[in-house]
Amino acid sequence: FFSSRRRHTRFDCDWSSDVCSSDLVLNDTGSVVFRRTVAGLVRIGFGTDAFAVVDRFSFGSARVGLFSLATGELLLRAGLRAPFAVGFSPRGDRFLLASSSFGIARVRLFRTADGVPLLNQTFRDLLLVGFTPEGELLVVVTRQFGQTRVFLFSAQDGRRIL
């Protein structure tokens, strides 16, 4: 789900575990937009207007922050329980959060330019969630009552198509 289109420099890292004590993110103009100590850093990913920081919160859960690439402003903060999925659309203009607990999954889609939510829906027995290759659709696959069901949502505005 994550792309690496922006420059990212790490300091004081344990490269074998990919856990860093501090991170520095530069935007395209070379300005520092994020400098913060992040204990238990899992991953940093980049979209067109924002970047996401995922860090371990406690056993089996994580915190996700979505930040503006231009200013470093926090656009979104969310806690997720394992198993979870986070990532940007192929175009980098949408951000997906999905987490599941006790067979109920919550799928959320946000616009990266400003963190505005486009979709917030729950599903039973989630099997798969992701974007189509061009990023125009969000695909959600569930298994309900022995039947596989496919839901399609517009990545543009979050409305259900199928």
Side-chain angles (χ1 to χ4, degrees):
F1 272 118
F2 285 104
S3 65
S4 57
R5 286 186 244 166
R6 302 291 191 269
R7 285 176 280 171
H8 171 220
T9 306
R10 300 178 186 202
F11 299 99
D12 301 320
C13 288
D14 172 5
W15 292 100
S16 63
S17 66
D18 200 26
V19 175
C20 301
S21 60
S22 64
D23 265 87
L24 175 68
V25 174
L26 308 174
N27 66 14
D28 287 336
T29 64
S31 300
V32 174
V33 294
F34 182 80
R35 182 182 294 160
R36 189 168 299 168
T37 299
V38 181
L41 180 70
V42 175
R43 182 166 294 173
I44 291 182
F46 295 88
T48 54
D49 304 305
F51 65 96
V53 176
V54 180
D55 64 305
R56 283 195 252 330
F57 179 61
S58 64
F59 182 76
S61 64
R63 286 185 297 206
V64 177
L66 186 67
F67 298 87
S68 165
L69 259 174
T71 65
E73 172 191 3
L74 178 66
L75 302 173
L76 166 72
R77 167 75 66 195
L80 301 171
R81 294 179 190 244
F84 63 85
V86 297
F88 291 94
S89 66
R91 296 178 187 167
D93 62 344
R94 298 294 183 259
F95 186 66
L96 170 69
L97 293 175
S99 63
S100 183
S101 182
F102 303 108
I104 305 295
R106 185 174 174 199
V107 175
R108 295 178 281 175
L109 181 68
F110 300 89
R111 197 167 50 208
T112 60
D114 51 16
V116 168
L118 302 172
L119 175 71
N120 184 2
Q121 189 151 348
T122 56
F123 297 91
R124 292 190 56 79
D125 302 320
L126 180 69
L127 295 178
L128 174 82
V129 62
F131 295 96
T132 55
E134 295 297 319
E136 72 280 3
L137 297 175
L138 177 68
V139 180
V140 177
V141 181
T142 65
R143 181 97 175 147
Q144 297 176 345
F145 309 112
Q147 301 289 322
T148 301
R149 297 186 65 193
V150 177
F151 301 90
L152 298 177
F153 296 90
S154 165
Q156 185 65 31
D157 58 14
R159 76 183 152 76
R160 185 171 170 186
I161 295 171
L162 176 68

